[in-house]
Amino acid sequence: MSNHSLGFAVYVSTFPQQRQFLEKLKFRNIRIFTSLHISEELNETYVQEVEEMCEWLDENGFWVMADVSPLTLTRFNEENLSSLITRLHLDNVRLDFGFDLSKVKLDGIPYGVTYNASTILKEGLLNSDAFYMHNFYPRPETGLDEGFFLLLNERIQAFSAKTMAFIAGDKQKRGPLHEGLPTLESHRSLAPYAQFVDLIKNYKIDTVFLGDVTLSDYELDLIMDYLNDQIICLPIVFSEINKNLYNQLYTVRVDSPSNLIRVQESRQYAQQGQEVEPHHMVKRVRGSVTMDNKNYKRYSGEIQITKADYPQDERVNTIGKLDQKYHLLLNSLYNGEKFMFVPAAK
């Protein structure tokens, strides 16, 4: 089992819709993030709705973190964070704008505290006891770039502190823009599974939260399977003749070049020993799954996955393609690691 985890952002305004999705995740200590200062959610029954939502989450075994500001205390008519935490059954609070962070630390709140990972460096408050959560970015073009994100995480992780970030969903995206809620801008239009694996493998994020309302069962199953076995699955559409390639455990050859994944076991699986006839010899674009045909002599049956574009070759069949929204997985699959081909979603 992985030390990493998947969490979900839950909102008062969408909780009635999310509750059905969350039913399947009860009593598994799944992490929930909610914000208690989203202006567009405020109405006359807001406080009551928050209390009911948090009570349901607590009763059904979820771990709950709330994003709070000094205005939150006023809105709930509470004198301090401790009383608010007790009232709403919170396991952790994320301190947003307006708090004197040095004073909060001195107060010694007897609950978990999370800081804003994207802005905390200017405060100079880094310690191993806290969590550091990045923002999500609803407006396209405003998400973090990879270099800055990597720098922030390296500095935080140097203190052995835990990091958290967001991915965008693929099903119901949260308003008002409905354009995804990722931390990284480059993730915005990609498959949630690819985003998730990228954050864990390449940035060492501890907990990845879905920022949007829900994600598809297909993506959820891929993520949960990865947390269970740490094996990357590549969703591919194979023709009938190559369906035997699904759900087999493969190894990336340790001597694979940087732009090509060579499959160590491929020849022993290739069409179950049949001679590979030339078929569909086309330009091999990034994400192509190829198999050498009989014109490649002793290499016949070798399977490769292209991480760059290669020209057409009469000795090489293209037998499948990885959808562009999953291409990021190729950057997360290293030499010597195991992986599988799985049927793509219909």
Side-chain angles (χ1 to χ4, degrees), residues 87-257:
R87 176 178 170 185
L88 297 181
H89 313 287
L90 302 178
D91 297 285
N92 193 289
V93 288
R94 182 179 188 250
L95 306 178
D96 214 316
F97 305 107
F99 282 107
D100 181 341
L101 297 184
S102 60
K103 183 176 186 301
V104 168
K105 285 186 68 181
L106 292 173
D107 284 344
I109 296 173
Y111 299 92
V113 173
T114 295
Y115 296 116
N116 187 327
S118 301
T119 60
I120 193 62
L121 294 184
K122 68 180 182 182
E123 304 285 351
L125 295 173
L126 282 167
N127 67 78
S128 60
D129 297 326
F131 295 115
Y132 294 86
M133 174 182 267
H134 291 277
N135 295 331
F136 53 63
Y137 295 90
R139 187 200 185 283
E141 303 164 356
T142 63
L144 300 184
D145 64 64
E146 293 93 332
F148 180 59
F149 185 62
L150 182 63
L151 174 65
L152 290 174
N153 292 320
E154 286 177 343
R155 291 187 181 180
I156 293 168
Q157 290 157 359
F159 285 79
S160 300
K162 301 294 185 181
T163 52
M164 302 176 174
F166 289 88
I167 58 173
D170 68 328
K171 194 174 180 182
Q172 183 178 352
K173 301 197 175 184
R174 185 173 176 272
L177 297 181
H178 304 283
E179 298 204 46
L181 297 177
T183 292
L184 283 174
E185 184 59 39
S186 60
H187 281 179
R188 191 173 299 276
S189 61
L190 303 183
Y193 175 58
Q195 299 174 59
F196 181 86
V197 173
D198 186 43
L199 289 180
I200 284 181
K201 287 207 70 178
N202 298 320
Y203 299 99
K204 307 297 187 286
I205 297 298
D206 294 287
T207 301
V208 176
F209 285 86
L210 174 71
D212 285 303
V213 179
T214 58
L215 79 167
S216 65
D217 287 342
Y218 181 81
E219 295 291 316
L220 177 62
D221 288 344
L222 284 174
I223 291 172
M224 299 309 281
D225 286 346
Y226 179 77
L227 286 173
N228 184 55
D229 58 25
Q230 288 84 64
I231 295 172
I232 290 178
C233 292
L234 300 178
I236 304 287
V237 177
F238 285 133
S239 61
E240 190 67 36
I241 194 172
N242 290 309
K243 284 192 174 179
N244 62 297
L245 300 177
Y246 286 134
N247 302 314
Q248 305 273 10
L249 198 58
Y250 298 105
T251 310
V252 182
R253 278 184 54 154
V254 294
D255 57 351
S256 291

